[in-house]
Amino acid sequence: MTKKRVFTVLAIDGGGVRGIIPSKLLMEIEARTGKPIAELFDLVAGTSTGSIVAAGLTTPSEHDKTKPKYTAENMRDFYINEASKIFPAVKYRQLMHLLPTTSGFYDPKAFEDILEDRLGNAKVGDSLTNVMFPAMDIKNYKPVWVKSFKGRRDPKGWKTMSLVDLIRGGTSAPTIFPAKYAYTHPNPKNPEITERHAFIDGSFFAGSIARRAYTAAKRIAPPDAEIIVVHLGTGTRKASLTPEEYNKISPIGLIRGGDNHGSAIGMAIEMSNIDINEDLRDEIGAKLFSFDNYITPGEADSPSIAIDNAEPGNLVKLEALADDIIDNRDEEIETLCKMLEQKLFNDDLHLKSKESFQNLFNMLDEAPTLKELEFIHRKIIKYSSKDMNFDKITKEEEGIAKFAKKLQEKHIVELERLFNVIRDDKRVQVSDSLNRFKKYGSKLLKPFKRNKNSDNSKNIQKKPPNPKP
């Protein structure tokens, strides 16, 4: 068994009020380890609402500059207590975007007042650990990464930016908040010289930042460290559209979206997030811990996918979704917490995956029929998905799920290869059996065919000769 020191990365997705989900997961991590997030993670990254959580957990306390100002529980309470003030119910708000002289945006003053009350004058560079936040700078028309890396040069002056300005601008999602200027002081010798940036929501290009955070970690982590990435999602839409349904959505619907179908922008971001996370898993395998769950629009117990639904009942459903992730991924969370506490990467994960691989291979190899083989294979693919949770596992699938959840990427790939070999072999066996049956059956039926033909010949009456004229 080998152990290596780790460099830990936390990446938190965007999603408006759905930020309550990662906050709840981080509460669990803090409770199990007894340590604050800023101490457990060497790099914390957050986009859109994720930047609120990330900033809150890494901003130092006024009373003790070595400790964070807020706990994960404080951040959970932030959404419960403040969401309805930030997103008050406004009738016909979406319609206002189409009317002259009206914008339809929420009034940002309540949000700005809350941020100033909670974060005060804290700057990006004050953070207790390395941090990074994405935003779209429409003034300079480019994506930017506002970051503070300890002991690294800061030529653009990102460390001097106010956290309030950063978050306010970096959460300006389309139709939600207007764009906002943010300022930096890039020249420490002349602090009165400022540079102005016009920020909108970072989710435009970085809805999920696990991949980019990993790239940054490779630059700042010690060369002998294993990089561990913890990705926290805010719920992924589980829906489908037929071409007919998609074609019926109006242009306004594609922009504005809704719980059932979402917007074209929303779908593009969600698909991009899924693809980026799958690409990262292909590269680092078991060193990626990704926690997310499906939101199914339209179902009674499912929360809303909308980023601004601050109704108390919806917040309760979002918390319940986070609780489901914690319950279903308990063993994985426990493994992660031990790793975070010890700051060591343990190859036990590989050994567990190897054992699970052998058990699942035996199941595939011993499947009595082609149908049973394909059933086992489908369930392995389903339960080896690390990004989603499955709260309803049938008794028939329990054994498969138990092992599939522990598989590392390379063992998933190898099982796929072996499944194809076993399936092809069984198809050949079935084909040979059918050919043998046909051949043997043909021999058995030959006498009957002869007799039948003989009987038929006896029953054929000869035609009387043509009468003579």
Side-chain angles (χ1 to χ4, degrees):
M1 184 189 303
T2 60
K3 294 184 178 181
K4 299 179 181 179
R5 62 178 298 194
V6 297
F7 184 93
T8 50
V9 178
L10 173 62
I12 309 170
D13 285 357
V17 297
R18 304 199 317 265
I20 198 171
I21 296 173
S23 297
K24 201 71 188 293
L25 292 167
L26 292 170
M27 272 179 63
E28 187 69 17
I29 290 173
E30 285 192 338
R32 294 194 191 197
T33 61
K35 295 181 179 181
I37 295 302
E39 187 177 330
L40 294 171
F41 289 95
D42 299 299
L43 171 61
V44 178
T47 185
S48 195
T49 200
S51 68
I52 300 174
V53 180
L57 296 177
T58 59
T59 297
S61 167
E62 296 95 334
H63 308 294
D64 184 350
K65 296 296 183 182
T66 66
K67 301 293 182 184
K69 189 171 185 178
Y70 299 109
T71 65
E73 185 175 5
N74 295 148
M75 298 315 300
R76 188 276 310 266
D77 293 344
F78 167 85
Y79 288 96
I80 292 174
N81 298 327
E82 310 291 6
S84 61
K85 301 173 189 174
I86 298 169
F87 300 117
V90 180
K91 278 190 175 183
Y92 312 116
R93 186 185 67 83
Q94 293 284 4
L95 191 60
M96 293 179 190
H97 287 284
L98 306 175
L99 301 176
T101 73
T102 62
S103 69
F105 291 118
Y106 286 104
D107 184 348
K109 188 176 187 312
F111 184 32
E112 291 168 355
D113 289 345
I114 291 167
L115 290 176
E116 287 175 6
D117 179 61
R118 290 180 175 255
L119 297 174
N121 297 319
K123 304 287 190 293
V124 172
D126 295 333
S127 302
L128 292 170
T129 189
N130 300 298
V131 293
M132 58 188 292
F133 311 94
M136 179 72 108
D137 188 345
I138 56 175
K139 176 179 177 289
N140 298 300
Y141 205 68
K142 64 179 181 180
V144 298
W145 287 91
V146 178
K147 51 187 179 286
S148 171
F149 295 159
K150 303 301 180 183
R152 300 288 174 131
R153 292 177 62 252
D154 181 34
K156 295 185 178 179
W158 294 127
K159 292 181 181 181
T160 66
M161 182 175 285
S162 157
L163 279 172
V164 171
D165 285 351
L166 164 72
I167 294 171
R168 169 61 184 83
T171 56
S172 299
T175 78
I176 301 296
F177 289 124
K180 172 77 174 179
Y181 280 118
Y183 300 86
T184 58
H185 304 273
N187 189 342
K189 294 181 179 179
N190 294 297
E192 68 279 1
I193 297 176
T194 62
E195 185 171 347
R196 189 165 65 167
H197 309 267
F199 281 173
I200 59 173
D201 201 301
S203 293
F204 258 108
F205 69 96
S208 179
I209 56 176
R211 157 58 72 183
R212 192 63 186 262
Y214 174 68
T215 301
K218 287 194 290 185
R219 293 200 305 271
I220 64 176
D224 61 335
E226 291 280 2
I227 298 172
I228 305 300
V229 179
V230 179
H231 160 250
L232 302 182
T234 58
T236 299
R237 182 193 315 270
K238 187 176 184 181
S240 63
L241 283 172
T242 65
E244 292 75 19
E245 288 172 330
Y246 179 83
N247 294 338
K248 288 178 182 177
I249 302 175
S250 68
I252 294 174
L254 284 174
I255 296 170
R256 182 173 59 84
D259 270 8
N260 290 330
H261 299 133
S263 67
I265 294 171
M267 283 189 281
I269 290 172
E270 286 168 0
M271 293 304 103
S272 175
N273 291 350
I274 292 169
D275 181 63
I276 289 169
N277 288 333
E278 286 179 354
D279 177 63
L280 182 58
R281 186 173 297 286
D282 285 344
E283 182 173 346
I284 66 174
K287 295 167 195 166
L288 172 63
F289 292 81
S290 183
F291 299 96
D292 204 351
N293 210 342
Y294 283 121
I295 291 176
T296 310
E299 285 194 359
D301 295 332
S302 180
S304 168
I305 197 74
I307 66 175
D308 58 344
N309 186 337
E311 295 178 4
N314 187 54
L315 299 181
V316 170
K317 290 179 181 179
L318 288 169
E319 280 205 85
L321 192 73
D323 289 334
D324 284 344
I325 298 173
I326 294 167
D327 292 341
N328 293 324
R329 306 281 290 279
D330 176 75
E331 188 176 342
E332 193 175 353
I333 293 172
E334 189 62 26
T335 298
L336 170 63
C337 287
K338 287 179 181 177
M339 194 181 298
L340 292 172
E341 280 183 286
Q342 300 169 6
K343 285 294 183 78
L344 293 171
F345 179 75
N346 196 329
D347 276 352
D348 277 350
L349 291 175
H350 173 75
L351 296 177
K352 288 179 181 179
S353 176
K354 188 176 179 181
E355 181 184 350
S356 296
F357 164 80
Q358 188 60 54
N359 281 290
L360 291 168
F361 169 71
N362 292 340
M363 289 184 189
L364 291 170
D365 193 41
E366 295 167 7
T369 65
L370 189 59
K371 183 178 180 181
E372 180 69 14
L373 173 72
E374 290 175 341
F375 170 81
I376 295 170
H377 173 253
R378 286 197 305 273
K379 299 309 173 185
I380 290 173
I381 296 301
K382 175 181 178 181
Y383 292 113
S384 63
S385 171
K386 299 295 189 296
D387 297 326
M388 299 300 163
N389 299 294
F390 306 92
D391 52 358
K392 294 178 182 177
I393 301 176
T394 66
K395 197 164 186 179
E396 186 182 15
E397 300 171 12
E398 279 179 357
I400 301 171
K402 174 186 174 183
F403 295 122
K405 287 180 176 181
K406 299 176 184 177
L407 287 176
Q408 292 183 353
E409 187 64 31
K410 65 178 182 179
H411 287 139
I412 295 173
V413 172
E414 181 62 11
L415 270 180
E416 183 71 18
R417 185 187 71 80
L418 292 171
F419 160 73
N420 289 325
V421 172
I422 296 169
R423 180 183 58 182
D424 291 345
D425 186 51
K426 284 193 179 295
R427 283 176 174 171
V428 170
Q429 291 175 16
V430 170
S431 178
D432 288 347
S433 297
L434 285 172
N435 288 335
R436 285 196 298 271
F437 176 78
K438 287 178 181 178
K439 188 175 179 182
Y440 183 66
S442 179
K443 286 181 179 179
L444 287 175
L445 293 172
K446 256 184 181 180
F448 295 101
K449 287 181 178 178
R450 261 200 311 271
N451 291 336
K452 187 176 179 182
N453 291 337
S454 176
D455 292 342
N456 287 342
S457 65
K458 290 177 182 178
N459 294 330
I460 296 173
Q461 295 181 357
K462 292 182 179 180
K463 289 184 179 181
N466 289 331
K468 293 180 180 180

